Amino acid sequence: MAEGPQQFIYFLRPKRLEMLTKGPTAEEARVQMEHGNYLEGLAAQRVVMLAGRTTNNDETTVGVVIVHAPDQAAAQGIMERDPFVKSGLMSATLFPFDVAYRAE
């Protein structure tokens, strides 16, 4: 068993593409704000290493979140508490991940 935090990555995909192409509904905008606040809070705690999304607005768009967690179950919980995932507005898939290179 690995000691200390491990890294995990999850990918987010919108279930309604029009949220990106035509703009979010009021509910989607509210959840998007909660999502941003959630990730910002986790980044301040050094749980989220990196978060962002591709800038294309088609069916290949993807959001990416890299997290530090003690194990896969903890990382799964972080992902499932993400407001976009919790609300059902986005689907998410989690993978173990290792950062090979990082600029300091």
Side-chain angles (χ1 to χ4, degrees):
M1 188 165 183
E3 287 186 31
Q6 300 170 51
Q7 297 162 358
F8 297 87
I9 188 168
Y10 66 92
F11 296 97
L12 294 161
R13 290 187 171 77
K15 291 188 177 177
R16 192 181 80 83
L17 187 58
E18 292 79 15
M19 180 171 65
L20 303 176
T21 60
K22 296 182 180 179
T25 65
E27 176 66 6
E28 289 167 341
R30 182 188 67 74
V31 173
Q32 183 176 13
M33 179 70 71
E34 289 179 5
H35 164 78
N37 291 339
Y38 177 71
L39 294 182
E40 184 177 28
L42 291 176
Q45 297 172 41
R46 299 189 158 278
V47 172
V48 166
M49 266 178 84
L50 175 145
R53 79 169 193 87
T54 58
T55 57
N56 56 307
N57 290 332
D58 60 32
E59 65 280 346
T60 64
T61 193
V62 63
V64 174
V65 181
I66 300 175
V67 300
H68 292 290
D71 55 39
Q72 185 143 353
Q76 183 80 26
I78 291 166
M79 180 184 77
E80 289 174 354
R81 287 186 298 275
D82 184 315
F84 267 144
V85 177
K86 192 173 180 180
S87 70
L89 292 176
M90 293 201 179
S91 63
T93 310
L94 179 74
F95 299 93
F97 189 74
D98 283 322
V99 173
Y101 304 99
R102 176 176 31 199
E104 293 297 327

